[in-house]
Amino acid sequence: MIDYLIIGSGLAGISFAETALQNDKSIFVLDNNSQNSSKIAGGLYNPVILKRFSEVWQAQEQLLLMNEFYTNLEEKIKCKVDFKKPILRKFFSIEEQNNWFAASDKFALAPFLSTEIISKKYKGIDSPYGYGEVLQTGYVDTALLLEKYKEYLRNDDLFLDESFDYTALQIESNGIRYKNIQARHVVFAEGFGMHANPYFKNLPLDGTKGELFIIKAPELELDVIVNTSVFILPLGNDLFKVGATYNWKDKTDLPTEEGKTELIERIKEIIACEFEIVAHFAGVRPTVKDRRPLVGTHQDYKTVHLLNGLGTRGVMLGPSMAKALFEFIEFQKPLDIVIDIKRFLNKVKK
């Protein structure tokens, strides 16, 4: 009998897998690669919601845990995936500069917003009003991370590329049985695929589709991340990742002309040089209307657990939410009510 059978190998799944392994627990991971939002994600981590100038929930705690988590992970998979880079907010007016300074005076935001206007000129961008710099930022190469981590799991015979058959799950008094696997617990980390899960499908997971580009722009010289209505992330070799759109109606992972048009318009608001679209991706983020994750244990089955709803901030949220669920299961440390799925139990059908 192993400790954990984990369903899903996106940011939520690998965060829990690694948390369990670091605590000397035995695991096995199943995934059919049907959900690609983690793989194509921008991977940015940013402690400030720039649209509203508000602090990301528990930002400092998440950043501390995240930094330690990815440092240990890089050693394990022998690969650099976490890149510290400034995020610059391009100002379009004096008023935006003033709003920035007002926000930087707030106690919660002061550690994250520089009070110095960046006036550096980047080739390919007109920026007469300069930029504001967000501190403690960067990005994780999520596609590389997921590829290398799954490779690590496969090498230790801890991963199977297979669709999960819910009808084959047997819940027993001391754990679960799935085909030839016996485990103390099963953790579902399926992202938007949770809608097919009979144990948790009634929870209000509301997927948000996002579309991204890889563009080639030889005239754009940028060594930082620029973030306004979209982000522009330098990848090297004149390539840049650009995103993302937000579509609450379309739940497919297919790129659209509507998304393409929107991204092109947003890019042209930021840069003043020619660019070529090299690739166009789409995925459905697992989001929740109250902007908090879905973490916890099934109300009837104490060995069946959920880690989901990381939304647009999976890179930051994954390690801390995995730790919270692990400590809840192993040490009965209570979950914060704002992430516990119990907050919805009276609102959904039993």
Side-chain angles (χ1 to χ4, degrees):
M1 179 181 278
I2 62 170
D3 292 305
Y4 291 97
L5 173 62
I6 301 163
I7 314 304
S9 62
L11 286 167
I14 70 165
S15 293
F16 191 86
E18 183 59 18
T19 299
L21 289 173
Q22 286 180 7
N23 285 275
D24 299 318
K25 299 299 180 183
S26 51
I27 67 161
F28 192 81
V29 182
L30 268 176
D31 194 1
N32 65 356
N33 293 308
S34 64
Q35 302 301 314
N36 67 346
S37 64
S38 289
K39 194 170 11 180
I40 69 152
L44 273 60
Y45 49 89
N46 173 4
V48 181
I49 301 169
L50 290 171
K51 192 175 182 180
R52 298 189 295 275
F53 281 128
S54 56
E55 181 194 12
V56 168
W57 173 69
Q58 293 189 345
Q60 198 67 71
E61 297 94 318
Q62 288 177 30
L63 284 170
L64 284 170
L65 186 60
M66 182 200 80
N67 286 326
E68 180 185 358
F69 182 86
Y70 290 119
T71 298
N72 292 336
L73 234 172
E74 287 176 332
E75 290 178 16
K76 177 173 280 191
I77 62 177
K78 306 287 191 293
C79 184
K80 177 80 174 164
V81 295
D82 182 7
F83 300 90
K84 309 296 181 191
K85 268 191 186 298
I87 290 180
L88 302 188
R89 171 68 179 266
K90 178 182 169 179
F91 296 134
F92 289 88
S93 65
I94 295 293
E95 184 185 5
E96 285 194 1
Q97 290 181 349
N98 292 336
N99 291 341
W100 179 275
F101 286 122
S104 67
D105 274 343
K106 296 178 183 176
F107 177 78
L109 296 178
F112 306 125
L113 297 180
S114 170
T115 54
E116 179 185 345
I117 289 182
I118 306 294
S119 55
K120 179 176 177 178
K121 300 298 181 187
Y122 291 98
K123 189 179 174 186
I125 303 182
D126 291 332
S127 54
Y129 300 100
Y131 307 87
E133 180 180 355
V134 189
L135 308 173
Q136 302 186 52
T137 59
Y139 75 98
V140 169
D141 186 334
T142 54
L144 183 61
L145 167 63
L146 299 182
E147 176 195 337
K148 291 294 184 182
Y149 197 78
K150 281 190 255 192
E151 190 179 295
Y152 159 77
L153 292 175
R154 282 192 185 97
N155 289 340
D156 282 357
D157 293 323
L158 300 177
F159 184 87
L160 184 61
D161 189 344
E162 179 181 288
S163 294
F164 187 78
D165 178 2
Y166 299 100
T167 64
L169 179 64
Q170 296 174 267
I171 300 169
E172 301 173 342
S173 58
N174 64 338
I176 63 98
R177 183 187 298 272
Y178 179 74
K179 298 182 178 178
N180 63 340
I181 300 170
Q182 274 188 290
R184 288 171 53 233
H185 302 276
V186 60
V187 174
F188 288 105
E190 305 153 294
F192 191 64
M194 189 193 86
H195 285 285
N197 186 323
Y199 296 95
F200 296 109
K201 67 180 181 182
N202 288 325
L203 287 170
L205 187 71
D206 180 33
T208 308
K209 181 172 182 171
E211 300 189 45
L212 300 94
F213 286 163
I214 304 292
I215 64 169
K216 190 175 184 71
E219 297 170 45
L220 180 59
E221 293 182 3
L222 201 58
D223 58 358
V224 296
I225 302 163
V226 173
N227 194 343
T228 58
S229 57
V230 291
F231 66 81
I232 300 181
L233 165 65
L235 301 174
N237 300 317
D238 298 329
L239 296 174
F240 301 85
K241 183 180 280 190
V242 182
T245 62
Y246 291 82
N247 185 323
W248 288 268
K249 293 178 181 175
D250 183 358
K251 308 300 183 185
T252 70
D253 58 6
L254 301 173
T256 65
E257 281 301 315
E258 180 187 0
K260 181 178 180 180
T261 301
E262 181 182 339
L263 281 176
I264 290 172
E265 288 175 357
R266 299 272 181 93
I267 293 168
K268 288 180 176 178
E269 290 173 359
I270 304 169
I271 69 175
C273 61
E274 295 297 314
F275 61 91
E276 171 195 352
I277 301 166
V278 176
H280 183 183
F281 305 106
V284 182
R285 312 172 185 94
T287 53
V288 185
K289 282 198 170 79
D290 66 3
R291 295 191 175 91
R292 294 290 179 265
L294 296 171
V295 183
T297 297
H298 193 278
Q299 58 182 333
D300 298 323
Y301 306 113
K302 302 311 171 193
T303 56
V304 178
H305 314 278
L306 183 70
L307 180 57
N308 209 316
L310 302 188
T312 60
R313 301 187 182 274
V315 162
M316 273 180 72
L317 276 171
S320 59
M321 295 303 97
K323 181 174 185 278
L325 180 59
F326 182 83
E327 291 180 346
F328 173 66
I329 296 169
E330 294 291 338
F331 310 121
Q332 294 75 55
K333 182 179 178 181
L335 291 167
D336 189 324
I337 190 60
V338 304
I339 66 170
D340 196 330
I341 57 174
K342 283 181 181 174
R343 71 190 190 273
F344 293 116
L345 288 184
N346 294 329
K347 303 175 186 177
V348 299
K349 295 174 183 175
K350 300 293 195 292

